[in-house]
Amino acid sequence: MPIPDQLSSINPETYAPYRDPRDYILSWTDEIWIDMGLGRLGEHYGKDIKVHTAYGETYDFDHVLMNSVQKMSAFPNGGGGSGEDVLWEERGPNGFISSHRVFKTGTHTGYWTYGPPTGKDWVSRTIAHCTVQDGKVVEEWLVRDEYAVLQSLGLDPNKVAWDLALASPVTGEVVDVATSAAFAGTYENPTLEGISGKRPDRFAAECEMIKAMYEDVWNSRLFNMVGDYCSDKVVSHSVRMRRAQGIQGYQQQVIDLLAAFPDGRIELRDLVVNESSDLGLRVAAVWTLHATYSGVPIYGHPTRSPVSIMGITHFEIRDGKILREWRLYDEIAVLTQIMRARQLSGEEF
């Protein structure tokens, strides 16, 4: 159960009739996806819900329902996945922020954005970072590991990204990521207030540690400082279901990403901290990597074009250091931006 003082600061009506915010999120996911109650989405989401993705924005409930129907048709046994964790934190007396990490599996038996059914199984992770006010989700930042899905289905990520660059899967239009609301605004000190609003006055030391880690290890390239922030036994789960263990493995994972985007800088945009007796202390961080694709050619030849990567990371903190990490971003959204730059320069697929 959650630590009592963290739960007592929220009006119980915000998550009623469930036990706590975690139960609220997990129960609604099952009722909508496992029980096939898509029509109940209106009881869970606000009418004017804002959904932020790397492919564009939607600002009403109808888009959520339409996209969900299509996904349920393509992956009828995919359900809502298995909830790995829900990190929640107060956002005013009648609200909370929920960062919900899901391990998803399914079989591609219907038509989807990527084309006709392949009949193949897939696995991936998703993190939905949601603001709940007065019992309903009113804003959501959504990150999926779509590269892992395509890998499982045997589809060409480059071809999918080329097609998505011509029409967003969210809006059906060409998206200029630079002007997308998902990347808009800057937050000077997300340890106090970020995209989800003002944080409660607790867990300041943990938030400052995560903020310092991004500044030192990522932005200052002080890879030698990984051990200052991570346990010797650190395990990092990343995109394409990759896993790195130990300080050296963690260092290499960060270096390999920045090698493709050598001028990249992490902008921290939100922090959520949750402590419970069963799962310990965890921190959710929403971040953006602003960069130029000008380094090693992991996505084909460098275009030297700007790229914005929307990411969410969950950290498990033990004895003041990061013991486990789940770092998620949509590589297909990254590749889509690169493909758009190629299209604008006159290249053909």
Side-chain angles (χ1 to χ4, degrees), residues 21-42:
R22 183 197 302 174
D23 187 34
Y24 166 94
I25 293 294
L26 295 177
S27 295
W28 264 116
T29 301
D30 288 349
E31 289 171 18
I32 291 167
W33 289 98
I34 304 299
D35 298 339
M36 300 291 187
L38 278 185
R40 299 196 64 191
L41 278 167

Side-chain angles (χ1 to χ4, degrees), residues 87 99 127 129 141 143 190 195 206-207 210-211 213-214 266-273 282-288 310-315 325-328:
L87 283 68
S99 203
I127 298 179
H129 197 82
W141 292 265
V143 176
I195 56 176
E206 290 78 10
C207 288
I210 296 301
K211 179 183 175 184
M213 185 275 295
Y214 279 120
I266 288 274
E267 176 195 0
L268 189 57
R269 298 172 63 79
D270 209 40
L271 286 168
V272 171
V273 188
R282 292 101 64 227
V283 180
V286 179
W287 50 269
T288 302
M310 174 182 173
I312 303 177
T313 300
H314 283 183
F315 300 95
E325 174 180 318
W326 292 264
R327 184 188 314 130
L328 206 62

